[in-house]
Each structure stands twice: as structure tokens, then as C-alpha cells.
Amino acid sequence: MIAGNFIGNTLSFSNGERFKTLNPMNNSFNEIELIEATPDEIQNTCLIAHKAFPKFNATEPKKRAELLLKIAQLLNENSTELLHWYQLESGLTEERGKIELQRTILQLEDFSSLISKENWKNSHEKSEGSLNDLTTQSLKKIKQGIGPVLVFGASNFPFAYSTIGGDSVAALAAGCPVIVKSHPFHAVLSYKVAELVLKAGELTQMPNGFFSHLNAFNHEVGKLLVLHPAIKAIGFTGSIKGGLAIRKLSQQRPDEIPVFAEMGSLNPIVLFPSAIESKKDIQEITSKLAQSITQSSGQFCTKPGVLFLIENDSTREFIFELTNCIQHSPSSSLLHPTIAENYNQLRTQIEKIPTVTKATIDSFSTNSNVGHPQLSITDASTFLKHSLLQEEVFGPHCALICCRSFEELFNCITRLMGQLTVSIFSKETSSKEFSNLVDLTMQKAGRIILNGVPTGVQVHAAMQHGGPFPSSSDTRFTAVGTDSIHRFIRNVCLQGFE
Amino acid sequence: MIAGNFIGNTLSFSNGERFKTLNPMNNSFNEIELIEATPDEIQNTCLIAHKAFPKFNATEPKKRAELLLKIAQLLNENSTELLHWYQLESGLTEERGKIELQRTILQLEDFSSLISKENWKNSHEKSEGSLNDLTTQSLKKIKQGIGPVLVFGASNFPFAYSTIGGDSVAALAAGCPVIVKSHPFHAVLSYKVAELVLKAGELTQMPNGFFSHLNAFNHEVGKLLVLHPAIKAIGFTGSIKGGLAIRKLSQQRPDEIPVFAEMGSLNPIVLFPSAIESKKDIQEITSKLAQSITQSSGQFCTKPGVLFLIENDSTREFIFELTNCIQHSPSSSLLHPTIAENYNQLRTQIEKIPTVTKATIDSFSTNSNVGHPQLSITDASTFLKHSLLQEEVFGPHCALICCRSFEELFNCITRLMGQLTVSIFSKETSSKEFSNLVDLTMQKAGRIILNGVPTGVQVHAAMQHGGPFPSSSDTRFTAVGTDSIHRFIRNVCLQGFE
């Protein structure tokens, strides 16, 4: 089988570069061959999305709600095949795949409910005014899609943040046609999901061009898409480097379009002395933390990458237990050899800082893509001196920073760049130190967690997934939950109509 | 008297460049001398705003609501002196000044009401969940200010879009300290308004640094402010050139901050044949339009700059009447000699296009700053050929485009860049042409007006002031009405608190 590009409903086969995806568990190529989209195909895709926009935007929100439910249904019905490819292309477990697929389906259902609400489209109204008003005409402000949205598939969420993940579903719900540039790591899964989305579109009579799907092995496809005048917004989830590159490229456009990039985070954990007063506390917290750091090989944007604690009598036991838990956490392959290479390079660089101790030992493995869980331990002054320790290490790594005082801890937090989350573990919540820390972290992060871990992002309107730069490119928006629809909505005021 | 810079509550006098403002009605300098802010003063201002932010952001919204009402009260009490300087520095009439001041006061009251609402700060909540959830912890999403906001005073709205205008009031309501870079055309008025804002802050016990005010004669002050790391958002109202320059400069920052620039618009008027079937219709519409084009010398971002009509028997009479009305509209001085120069240059360039007819004649005036109302008439193919006709002519100018068919008209609208508004005059609203036009204009503009003029922007939550690029830099936001607060708000999710 050869997988072409979906230019709207049309499956196109060109002379573009052929490529295959890699199974990171054994470094073998997967069966299906994909064809990279050519400049002509990209142009046609953008034009068809541009043409579809007014039609798709004008569909009743309830019709689009049906589309989303139909997609959810088809994902469910085809879960066996999808999960097969999910594992082959990501090396993630079936169990993780099932959770992620359920989350993706939940997202589709949530947005479907949102836009099914009677007056969803209506933002505000004002009836005809008096002569004191600047105009006596009535005003009615209604929601519109912003235009065709380009979505970059994410390497670490083949379901929930890729083809029909959070960005795509928010854009479709808003009334925006979507063009997915699939992630080359899981291009076959993406292709198969796209097939289902298009089938759902056919069954619910959506206009041709409401959804397109392009294969890309090189950066060129993304570049041409970012610069195309038909594209009116961009959604990206990935590294700071990737997000900033897209942002920079988009600045070459003659117009300005919103680029929402969720670019990862250190997700600092702050451990207050009151949290680890008993052996039981220590066991519970270290077990939770180790799981949060190592699950899915630490390949979450919300993985805790740094942990601050204040040294005292309990500290040594806590560190011993955490090291033990991390050391004994199962290790599995990372998403791709390039991810494994980056992971090993970064953690080795950190290890080489003279005042950093590597507390864990790599286990033996025949698979060079395995991400060995690692805990690095150092002090506050090292953290303050080395910007390397503020870089996200994508994989099961965490740096533990031993502070001698609350003041040192506070200095470290003050110097943190913008984060998606900060977690605070503390039994007491009435001290001056606690409230000062909460106040400070609220300026640093989009979500503050008390006595919990940052992984396991609840899909809900009350969720905030997006924090100050560089954790996301626009801290005013969220990438998770129904509020994320506002990234792709503009309002139009109708004055004097009816 | 010499006017220094307000670094928070401290009035600072430096060795910065001295300058005076100009009275455009007679080209004489006004009395008071102002001192331009020095780099040191700019640095201190940014630091004090940065320091004030956590305190100001933590004030109860109801306390900030009191601040806004106190400012409104002081503006009211000091209106005589303010209106005196308003006229001296802008050349706009006292009547216009009174309307604008009332609007500014209304804006303060509106935002005060908004943030006084019981649960204003709370966006969404979720109580503790079941084990099926990704986390069982409760979620509470609350609104926060984004950080210190830099506001550029606008030349054409000394009250409503400057010192304590729409951007400043939205930022203060959101909990963001404001730094105003005053507009050099009306720097004395701006200084006097700033004094009142700071007095209101003192009376309502706001932290020092919640508001600062800097004089600037050269671009350097604005440049240093845009690049300062303490600034977390920017509000600008002005020309496309100015807005894009700020945007471009902000791209040199290592971080990314939201820049909301409202950059003007052509505010196209579309006249359907059904609108001008009777003499009475023609008289009513031409009178309304001429007023909208010429009032305050056409110095509104919502001034109609282009008018499309379809030629038929009534057209000649309509054009005759409109020319007549515009010719006899009162002319007065523009805001500043540089504005007058730009106006005359642009309208002369348009006049020089061979297929453009100047329908009006300049009246005689001894004041070189007078903006002579001008109607230019041409055809659709000229409009499509000359991008000059898509440029905003800031002043009392309008171009009338005679289309031979609905198709030609539609072609022109399709080629329009993004606009703040489009107005449609039509008696019938059930034809295919009408609904096609509405659909198309909704993609082109933020506000569609039926049988009304775009000037007279109602301050209301249902207002949308901001359209596709280049009319504004981010079409998802509005610059007028309480929804404009979202430009300066981010949300933080508190997980597991209480």
C-alpha cells in the first residue's frame, strides 16, 4: 500500500519523495510507504481549504457537532487497527494508546456539546438604543471561524494532539477548515485517522476541503504551508525550537496571523518540609513523582523536569526513596532514534556539570532507543548558574535542586522562565511562605497544582494548558479544554440587522 | 510651568529634550514645556511597573472598580481645564471634546461595572472528580492580569484612546499596571489627565507604579519601552505604518508578547440600487454620509474612505447630491501640520490618477492645516488597478467607485484588505445579491452595518472594533467595549486548592 495526500476528499498520488516510518522498538521500517506532498499539492490543498471556508463556516454549529460525534464513533469502531499502528510507530504501550484515544474521543464529544448549545454563536446583543447613544441601531455580536487552520501533528500525542487532536477539533468546532501536516514519526496512523475524519465528513455532508491531510518528511512542506496566504491560524505542539522556528517564519508573511505554539515546560515541583514529615508521606510522594517523571518514558509536556526542596532531616530519606523509585521504574523506548539521541546528549551535558550528581544508573538494554530514567542532584547556586538546567529534557529525566533556605528556593523560582505548570507539595497552606510562593508561581505558570503531579491533564473548560512564554507563544489561550476554541474564533458585530 | 515624567507617583525632572505642543489652528506653540523621558527614567518606570504588578494584580477587582469611578469623577470635575487643552492641542471643537470625554467616562464606568460583578474573576470550575478522570483533584480557573501594559496615546482621540482611554482602562481593570507613552500632539492634556489618574490612585490606595506617564517627542522613547522585558503587552491605535513598526520592533524581543494594534480602515460603503430609489432617500443618505466623511475633519478610524455603487438612473443624482453635501461641509484644521501634509499629499496622488475625477473644489483658507473635504470619483477597474485607492487617507476624503454591475462590485469587495467595518445601504434584504454580499463582507470586516454609517462607535459589549489584518493586528480581539479586557487577561488554573 502507498499512502498519498488528501487534498480535501481527493486522494492524490504525486512524484513526491517516498518515505516510511520507523518502529522505535526495533529500529525497523514499517510496511506502508508514504508520499510527501509536493508544492503543487500544497497549493491545491490551501486553495480548496480557502474555498471551503465560507461554506464550512456557514454550516449550522449543530451540523458540525454531528461531524465531531461521527468522527468519535469511527475512531471507536476502528480502534483495533489504529492502536496497532499507534504502537508500531510510537513505541508507546497499548494501554497508553487506549487512554489517549479515549481522551481524543472525549475532546470530540466536549466540543460537540459546546457548539450544540442553543446560543453558542451569539456573544452579546444590544437592542435599539436611545438618542443618547452614539448609534441607535441594534448590535449583535456573533462568533465566526478565523479561516483555514494549519495543524502540525505532535510527535508525543499521535491521537490527542495530532490529526484530530485538540487543535484540529477546536478549529473544526469553530468553523475553520483544517489542514494537517502529519508528524513524520507516525504518518501512517495519521493517514488512517485522516481517512476516518474524511469519511465522517462525507457521512455528515461537509463541504469538500473542510479537512485535508498532507504527508511530510522534510521541513519544506511545513514552510510552504506557514507562508501560504490562505492559512489564517496555526496550531503547534512541540519543542521551543520548533515553535519559535514556525513563529519566525510566519513573521515573513505580509499579514499577521495567530500562531499558537505550546512549547513544553520544566513543570517544576516544589516540596515544602511539611509535605514529607512521615515515612508514609515520603513513600506516597516519591512513588507518585517517579511515575509522573517516567511514565511513557517522560515524553509529556507536563513531565516534572525539576524538583526543588529545602534541606532538612527528612530530605536525605526523601532523596534516597525517590532515587530508588526512579531507578526501578520500567524503561522503554523513546519515540524515535532522534529523540533518544537528544535525550542522551542533554542528560549527559547536565551530568558533566561538576556540581551535579547522577543518582541513578542506566540499566542494560539491547535497544539503543531506550530512555533510561535519570535523576540528577545539585544545589541552588548550580541551578542559578547553569541555564542548561532550565532546558526541557524530553524523556524520563528530572533534576533535584537542594536549597538551603526558603530564600534560596524563592530565588530559584523567581528566575524560572514561563511554565505550563508548577506543583507545590505542602501540608500546611497558611504560612506566609506558602502564600508568597503561590503568588509568585501564578506569575510563572498557567496551572498551579497543590499536592498533585502535573501529568494527567484533565480535559475540561476549567483546565488551563498554556503559560507565560516560552511555555506557550500566547499565554492568553489554553490548548486543552473547550476554551481552546477561542484561539480560532473572531467576532463580527452586525449593526442594524433585523 | 514645566511638565516632567510620572514614574509612578513620582514626578521626575531630567535633562531630557524639551518640547512644546502646537496649536494647529494657528500654528503657534502652546505655553507649557514638556521634558522627554530619558533612558534612565524609562528604565525606572518599567521597574516600578514590574514591582507594582503583583500588588496591583492582587487588589480586589472591586477596589480597582472604585479606582476607575474615581478617575471618572475627577475627569468630570476638571472637564473645563481638560477641554481647554483638548482644543488647544488638537484643533477639534469643544462639542467633539465633550462627547469624547463623556465616552471616556462611560468606558471607565462600564469596566467598573464589569469587574464589580461577584464572580468576575472566576472563569470555570470543576469539583473533585471520579477515578475515571485523569485527575480527581478540583480545578478552578481564574483571571489574572497579563503584566505591565504599554499604551501608546492616539493622535485622534486625546481622551477616548489615549491616557486613560480604551486600552488603559481595559488594562487597569484586568489588574495590569499601565505605562502611557503620551502622544506628542497633545502631551499637555495627556499630562493633566495622568495627574488625575494618579490622584485617583492615591485616593483609592493603589500601589505606587500602577500607572506611569512618559513624555516623548522622538520615537526613541517608544522603542526602548517596546523592548523592555518588564512590558508584557502593548496597545496601539494609529496608522498601519506605526502599528507594523511596533510589531516588527517587538519581534526583536527574546520573548513573545501580545501587541494589539488597531491600524485604521477604509470602512467601505456599499450602496444598493434599492437604497436610493426616491429623492428623499438620496437626500437622507448623502447628508448622513457627508457628515460621516467630514466630521472632525474625517479623522476617525471609522471614516468612510470608499463608496461603491452600481450605476443606474438614480446614480447621477446621488453623486450630484453627495458632491454638493461634501462641498458644503464645514472644513477645519487637521490635528497637526504633519497630518495636513500627509492628507494633501495622498489626496493629490489619488487626483493624479488619469481615470479619477476630483468632484469637489478646495475652499479658500488662510490656515495651511485645514483639511479640505474631497470626493474623488472613479470606476471599478481603476480601483482594482491602483492599490493607492486601498490606502487610508486620514482626513475628510472619500473615493466613490462606480461599478457597472453587481459582478464588478463583488470583484472590488473580494479584493478589499481587512477592514474595521463595511456598511451596506439597501432597502431589500432578501435578494441573493444582498445575502452574498453580507457573507463576503463578514470575512472582510469586524462590523457590518445595515443602513447606517460607521462613525459613532457604540461603547458596548456587543461592539466589535477590530477586523481582519491590516485593520487590526489580531482579529480575535476588540478595542472597544468591555470584551477588550481579554487582550490583557490570562487564566490560571488552581488544581487541588481547597
Side-chain angles (χ1 to χ4, degrees):
Chain A
M1 186 198 154
I2 293 174
N5 294 285
F6 287 108
I7 304 176
N9 297 336
T10 309
L11 185 51
S12 165
F13 295 93
S14 64
N15 59 356
E17 196 177 326
R18 310 263 165 138
F19 67 102
K20 285 182 169 182
T21 58
L22 199 77
N23 179 341
M25 294 176 286
N26 59 17
N27 275 341
S28 68
F29 283 106
N30 293 311
E31 280 303 309
I32 294 179
E33 200 169 42
L34 300 119
I35 312 176
E36 184 168 68
T38 61
D40 274 356
E41 285 176 317
I42 293 167
Q43 168 72 0
N44 291 337
T45 302
C46 290
L47 290 184
I48 207 172
H50 174 74
K51 226 179 131 188
F53 170 57
K55 287 181 230 162
F56 187 59
N57 186 49
T59 53
E60 278 301 308
K62 280 187 183 167
K63 286 296 292 176
R64 296 202 300 276
E66 277 172 34
L67 165 71
L68 302 185
L69 290 185
K70 184 55 75 181
I71 298 172
Q73 185 198 326
L74 294 182
L75 290 178
N76 231 333
E77 286 171 11
N78 292 275
S79 62
T80 309
E81 194 195 1
L82 298 179
L83 286 165
H84 170 74
W85 279 101
Y86 180 93
Q87 294 170 78
L88 276 188
E89 294 189 308
S90 73
L92 296 167
T93 62
E94 185 181 9
E95 190 201 349
R96 154 71 197 270
K98 278 182 177 167
I99 294 172
E100 201 188 322
L101 183 57
Q102 273 318 303
R103 176 179 158 170
T104 309
I105 287 168
L106 176 69
Q107 287 175 168
L108 285 156
E109 290 166 350
D110 270 6
F111 278 97
S112 177
S113 301
L114 177 78
I115 61 174
S116 295
K117 281 185 193 145
E118 204 49 62
N119 289 315
W120 175 74
K121 249 188 128 168
N122 302 343
S123 296
H124 294 284
E125 273 186 51
K126 182 187 177 296
S127 49
E128 279 189 28
S130 68
L131 287 172
N132 288 332
D133 288 335
L134 285 164
T135 174
T136 58
Q137 293 190 300
S138 65
L139 306 174
K140 186 175 181 180
K141 189 152 79 172
I142 57 169
K143 298 183 183 73
Q144 297 286 299
I146 196 170
V149 174
L150 168 62
V151 174
F152 283 82
S155 69
N156 61 337
F157 274 100
F159 285 130
Y161 273 82
S162 291
T163 329
I164 192 61
D167 294 347
S168 296
V169 65
L172 291 180
C176 304
V178 166
I179 297 174
V180 173
K181 185 209 82 64
S182 75
H183 198 284
F185 292 178
H186 49 77
V188 176
L189 175 65
S190 194
Y191 174 89
K192 290 192 176 284
V193 172
E195 257 187 324
L196 299 176
V197 173
L198 287 165
K199 190 172 165 194
E202 216 175 290
L203 291 170
T204 54
Q205 294 159 321
M206 290 297 149
N208 187 15
F210 85 96
F211 187 86
S212 292
H213 184 267
L214 301 177
N215 307 314
F217 187 67
N218 302 290
H219 288 320
E220 207 49 35
V221 175
K223 280 185 189 165
L224 288 173
L225 285 165
V226 167
L227 293 174
H228 199 284
I231 300 296
K232 295 300 176 204
I234 298 174
F236 169 85
T237 307
S239 66
I240 291 185
K241 201 178 140 200
L244 293 187
I246 288 171
R247 180 69 221 173
K248 191 153 192 184
L249 189 66
S250 80
Q251 288 167 356
Q252 291 176 18
R253 295 174 61 103
D255 59 346
E256 189 161 337
I257 61 168
V259 176
F260 186 86
E262 191 267 80
M263 300 183 280
S265 168
L266 279 182
N267 307 297
I269 309 280
V270 180
L271 205 70
F272 265 35
S274 70
I276 49 168
E277 277 167 353
S278 74
K279 257 193 195 314
K280 190 166 157 273
D281 292 339
I282 292 178
Q283 276 168 0
E284 266 182 35
I285 295 179
T286 51
S287 143
K288 260 193 212 174
L289 281 175
Q291 208 205 346
S292 185
I293 293 164
T294 61
Q295 67 184 322
S296 294
S297 286
Q299 297 167 113
F300 287 117
C301 47
T302 52
K303 179 215 68 176
V306 64
L307 191 159
F308 300 95
L309 51 74
I310 297 171
E311 281 183 2
N312 66 18
D313 290 348
S314 314
T315 312
R316 209 167 319 153
E317 197 177 335
F318 175 85
I319 296 179
F320 178 81
E321 275 299 328
L322 184 61
T323 307
N324 196 31
C325 283
I326 290 180
Q327 181 70 61
H328 293 98
S329 295
S331 57
S332 55
S333 80
L334 293 162
L335 294 163
H336 197 263
T338 58
I339 302 262
E341 203 179 304
N342 283 336
Y343 175 65
N344 289 326
Q345 204 178 322
L346 260 176
R347 67 187 186 116
T348 308
Q349 268 179 275
I350 288 171
E351 216 177 298
K352 279 186 181 154
I353 300 173
T355 44
V356 171
T357 308
K358 182 180 171 191
T360 47
I361 302 163
D362 291 1
S363 54
F364 174 79
S365 171
T366 52
N367 180 350
S368 60
N369 294 334
V370 157
H372 298 283
Q374 177 172 332
L375 182 69
S376 306
I377 302 178
T378 190
D379 54 23
S381 65
T382 304
F383 177 80
L384 292 172
K385 208 155 49 190
H386 292 272
S387 63
L388 180 65
L389 290 165
Q390 285 225 36
E391 269 184 50
E392 183 184 25
V393 182
F394 193 71
H397 173 269
C398 185
L400 190 150
I401 316 295
C402 296
C403 305
R404 279 168 307 183
S405 62
F406 184 77
E407 200 192 332
E408 264 196 4
L409 171 73
F410 213 81
N411 282 345
C412 291
I413 305 295
T414 304
R415 284 276 291 280
L416 280 175
M417 298 192 296
Q419 305 290 335
L420 291 172
T421 73
V422 170
S423 304
I424 306 171
F425 282 85
S426 179
K427 273 212 179 105
E428 62 81 14
T429 56
S430 51
S431 67
K432 184 110 187 104
E433 282 81 7
F434 180 81
S435 72
N436 280 352
L437 184 72
V438 172
D439 287 351
L440 179 62
T441 52
M442 278 174 72
Q443 290 172 50
K444 293 287 179 181
R447 180 165 54 117
I448 318 299
I449 302 147
L450 181 59
N451 295 321
V453 291
T455 47
V457 182
Q458 185 67 36
V459 178
H460 193 275
M463 178 49 65
Q464 173 63 28
H465 192 72
F469 185 91
S471 70
S472 53
S473 61
D474 193 336
T475 180
R476 298 171 299 177
F477 295 95
T478 176
V480 172
T482 42
D483 272 0
S484 70
I485 199 169
H486 294 292
R487 294 175 296 171
F488 307 125
I489 278 178
R490 53 183 280 260
N491 276 278
V492 173
C493 172
L494 296 175
Q495 179 172 328
F497 282 71
E498 280 148 305
Chain B
M1 185 198 155
I2 293 173
N5 294 286
F6 287 109
I7 303 176
N9 297 338
T10 308
L11 185 51
S12 164
F13 294 94
S14 65
N15 60 356
E17 195 176 327
R18 310 262 166 139
F19 67 101
K20 285 181 169 183
T21 59
L22 198 77
N23 180 339
M25 292 175 288
N26 59 16
N27 274 342
S28 69
F29 283 107
N30 294 311
E31 280 302 311
I32 293 179
E33 200 168 45
L34 299 119
I35 314 175
E36 184 168 70
T38 62
D40 274 355
E41 285 175 318
I42 292 167
Q43 168 72 0
N44 291 337
T45 302
C46 290
L47 290 184
I48 207 173
H50 174 73
K51 226 178 130 188
F53 170 58
K55 286 182 230 163
F56 186 60
N57 185 49
T59 54
E60 278 300 306
K62 279 187 184 167
K63 285 296 291 175
R64 296 202 301 276
E66 278 172 34
L67 164 71
L68 302 185
L69 290 186
K70 183 55 79 182
I71 298 171
Q73 185 197 325
L74 294 181
L75 290 177
N76 232 333
E77 286 172 12
N78 294 275
S79 62
T80 310
E81 194 196 2
L82 299 179
L83 286 166
H84 170 73
W85 278 101
Y86 179 93
Q87 293 170 77
L88 276 187
E89 295 190 310
S90 73
L92 296 167
T93 63
E94 185 182 8
E95 192 202 348
R96 155 72 196 269
K98 278 181 177 166
I99 294 172
E100 200 187 322
L101 183 58
Q102 273 318 305
R103 176 179 158 170
T104 310
I105 287 168
L106 176 69
Q107 286 175 170
L108 286 156
E109 290 167 351
D110 270 5
F111 278 96
S112 179
S113 302
L114 177 76
I115 61 174
S116 294
K117 282 186 193 141
E118 205 47 64
N119 289 316
W120 175 74
K121 249 186 127 167
N122 301 342
S123 297
H124 294 283
E125 275 186 50
K126 181 184 179 297
S127 49
E128 280 188 26
S130 68
L131 287 173
N132 288 333
D133 288 334
L134 285 162
T135 174
T136 58
Q137 294 191 299
S138 65
L139 306 175
K140 186 176 181 178
K141 188 152 80 172
I142 57 169
K143 297 182 183 74
Q144 298 284 299
I146 197 170
V149 175
L150 168 63
V151 174
F152 282 82
S155 69
N156 61 337
F157 273 100
F159 285 131
Y161 271 83
S162 290
T163 330
I164 192 63
D167 294 348
S168 296
V169 65
L172 291 179
C176 304
V178 165
I179 298 174
V180 173
K181 186 211 80 67
S182 74
H183 199 283
F185 292 179
H186 49 77
V188 176
L189 175 66
S190 195
Y191 174 90
K192 291 194 176 284
V193 171
E195 256 185 326
L196 299 176
V197 173
L198 287 165
K199 190 172 165 195
E202 218 176 286
L203 291 170
T204 53
Q205 295 161 321
M206 289 297 148
N208 186 15
F210 85 97
F211 186 85
S212 293
H213 184 267
L214 302 176
N215 307 313
F217 188 68
N218 302 291
H219 287 321
E220 206 50 34
V221 175
K223 280 186 189 165
L224 289 173
L225 285 165
V226 168
L227 293 174
H228 199 285
I231 299 295
K232 295 299 177 205
I234 298 174
F236 170 84
T237 308
S239 65
I240 291 184
K241 201 179 141 197
L244 293 187
I246 289 171
R247 181 70 222 172
K248 191 153 192 183
L249 191 64
S250 81
Q251 289 167 355
Q252 290 176 20
R253 296 174 59 106
D255 59 348
E256 188 161 339
I257 61 169
V259 176
F260 186 86
E262 190 267 80
M263 300 183 281
S265 169
L266 278 182
N267 306 297
I269 309 279
V270 180
L271 205 69
F272 264 36
S274 69
I276 49 169
E277 278 168 354
S278 75
K279 257 196 195 316
K280 191 166 155 273
D281 292 340
I282 292 178
Q283 276 168 359
E284 265 181 33
I285 295 178
T286 51
S287 145
K288 259 193 211 172
L289 281 175
Q291 209 206 344
S292 185
I293 293 163
T294 62
Q295 68 184 325
S296 295
S297 288
Q299 296 167 113
F300 286 118
C301 46
T302 50
K303 181 215 69 177
V306 65
L307 191 158
F308 300 95
L309 51 73
I310 296 171
E311 279 182 4
N312 66 20
D313 291 346
S314 315
T315 313
R316 212 168 315 154
E317 196 177 336
F318 175 85
I319 296 178
F320 178 81
E321 275 299 326
L322 183 62
T323 307
N324 197 31
C325 283
I326 290 178
Q327 181 69 61
H328 292 98
S329 296
S331 58
S332 55
S333 79
L334 293 162
L335 294 163
H336 195 266
T338 57
I339 302 263
E341 204 179 302
N342 283 337
Y343 175 64
N344 289 325
Q345 205 178 320
L346 260 176
R347 67 187 184 115
T348 308
Q349 269 179 272
I350 288 171
E351 217 176 296
K352 278 185 183 155
I353 299 173
T355 44
V356 171
T357 307
K358 183 180 168 189
T360 48
I361 302 162
D362 291 3
S363 53
F364 175 78
S365 171
T366 53
N367 181 350
S368 61
N369 295 334
V370 156
H372 298 284
Q374 177 172 331
L375 182 69
S376 307
I377 302 177
T378 191
D379 54 24
S381 66
T382 304
F383 177 80
L384 291 171
K385 208 156 46 188
H386 293 271
S387 62
L388 181 64
L389 290 166
Q390 285 224 38
E391 270 186 48
E392 184 184 24
V393 182
F394 192 69
H397 174 268
C398 185
L400 191 150
I401 316 296
C402 297
C403 306
R404 281 170 304 185
S405 62
F406 184 77
E407 200 192 333
E408 263 197 3
L409 171 73
F410 213 82
N411 283 344
C412 291
I413 305 295
T414 305
R415 284 277 290 279
L416 280 174
M417 296 191 297
Q419 305 290 336
L420 291 171
T421 72
V422 170
S423 305
I424 306 170
F425 283 85
S426 179
K427 272 212 181 103
E428 62 82 13
T429 56
S430 51
S431 67
K432 183 110 188 103
E433 283 81 6
F434 181 82
S435 73
N436 281 352
L437 185 70
V438 172
D439 287 350
L440 179 61
T441 53
M442 278 175 71
Q443 290 174 49
K444 293 287 178 180
R447 181 165 54 116
I448 318 300
I449 302 148
L450 181 59
N451 295 320
V453 292
T455 47
V457 181
Q458 186 67 34
V459 178
H460 193 276
M463 177 51 63
Q464 174 63 28
H465 191 71
F469 186 89
S471 70
S472 54
S473 60
D474 193 336
T475 181
R476 297 171 299 177
F477 295 95
T478 176
V480 173
T482 42
D483 272 359
S484 70
I485 199 168
H486 293 293
R487 294 176 296 171
F488 307 125
I489 278 177
R490 53 184 279 260
N491 276 280
V492 173
C493 171
L494 296 174
Q495 178 173 328
F497 282 72
E498 280 147 308

